[in-house]
Amino acid sequence: MLVLAVDTSTPAVTAGLVELEPADEGTIAPRITTLTSKVTVDARAHNEVLTPHILACLAASGRTRAEIDAVVTGIGPGPFTGLRVGMATAAAFGDALGVPVYGVCSLDAIAADTESYLKTPAEPVELLVVTDARRREVYWARYRAEGRVEGPEVSKPADLDPGTATVIAGSASHVDYFDLPVLPVETPSPYGLVRVAARDILAGVTPEPLVPLYLRRPDAVERSYAQVGR
């Protein structure tokens, strides 16, 4: 199956094409191969570059839009303006192509990308993932072998107790707030996004409606009628 994956929950504008196949006999994990990906780190460029990134990935892989079987998009947590670009674009592609669109927590995708660094841990691992929430805050979630065990939430770094976390991943400018070994995964990748949704995609599960994880009110809000004309 050919899966289009996008994420705009962080300053990174990410798009990629991933080949997803069922697990080989005797194994559990599905086979996931990233065919091509394109990333631009620019918090103000989500709207301008995401669709060109998708088209560039199609061209680079030699595949066509008609070959896409499913779409996966990060649903945050993330800032309002950037996050809705990725979700709206994913929804538009899914609607135009008549394929399902799966929303996944972007922090879960980062956690999935750390699996290659934690294949044979000598001791139980608890992962803390943090990303930039602006306003001097971070979005965060905790993970153990069984999956996400806490979060996602938004907090000031000083108010976030690492607790029993043993490693950290996420925003390069925020992981250093915590005295933990850092895994080199900063943003969701196409692989990580598809890894989170792989079981549902392969099983043909009807996806839930896309609901963004803002975790707080957007900075820009509509003015009330009482404010108009003041």
Side-chain angles (χ1 to χ4, degrees):
M1 300 180 69
L2 183 65
V3 184
L4 167 65
V6 301
D7 187 272
T8 55
S9 66
T10 73
V13 187
T14 299
L17 290 171
V18 176
E19 193 71 55
L20 173 64
E21 300 174 279
D24 291 324
E25 186 175 352
T27 64
I28 298 175
R31 289 179 288 165
I32 304 173
T33 305
T34 301
L35 302 180
T36 182
S37 66
K38 196 165 180 62
V39 181
T40 294
V41 180
D42 186 340
R44 298 183 179 182
H46 295 90
N47 195 48
E48 290 78 9
V49 305
L50 181 57
T51 297
H53 276 6
I54 295 171
L55 299 179
C57 286
L58 286 165
S61 64
R63 310 296 283 269
T64 68
R65 280 175 278 189
E67 295 178 79
I68 295 173
D69 298 297
V71 180
V72 177
T73 180
I75 61 170
F80 179 80
T81 302
L83 185 58
R84 65 180 179 176
V85 170
M87 295 179 65
T89 301
F93 268 82
D95 183 63
L97 300 173
V99 300
V101 182
Y102 296 85
V104 302
C105 174
S106 302
L107 301 180
D108 291 358
I110 292 176
D113 275 317
T114 68
E115 291 177 352
S116 62
Y117 300 98
L118 301 172
K119 284 184 177 179
T120 55
E123 299 178 0
V125 171
E126 181 173 300
L127 170 69
L128 176 63
V129 175
V130 296
T131 58
D132 185 8
R134 303 179 184 176
R135 303 183 190 177
R136 299 182 180 179
E137 294 178 328
V138 293
Y139 299 118
W140 63 272
R142 300 178 192 275
Y143 301 84
R144 294 182 188 139
E146 61 269 27
R148 178 164 22 111
V149 294
E150 188 176 5
E153 300 286 350
V154 60
S155 305
K156 293 186 181 300
D159 296 334
L160 175 52
D161 182 0
T164 55
T166 54
V167 291
I168 191 170
S171 169
S173 57
H174 295 82
V175 292
D176 288 340
Y177 283 111
F178 306 92
D179 187 19
L180 292 168
V182 177
L183 300 180
V185 182
E186 298 180 13
T187 60
S189 74
Y191 172 92
L193 293 161
V194 173
R195 179 71 178 86
V196 177
R199 182 175 298 179
D200 286 350
I201 296 172
L202 290 169
V205 173
T206 299
E208 297 290 333
L210 296 179
V211 178
L213 288 171
Y214 293 132
L215 301 188
R216 64 185 180 206
R217 292 175 61 84
D219 293 325
V221 296
E222 293 184 7
R223 298 174 65 187
S224 68
Y225 287 112
Q227 292 174 304
V228 177
R230 287 186 180 181

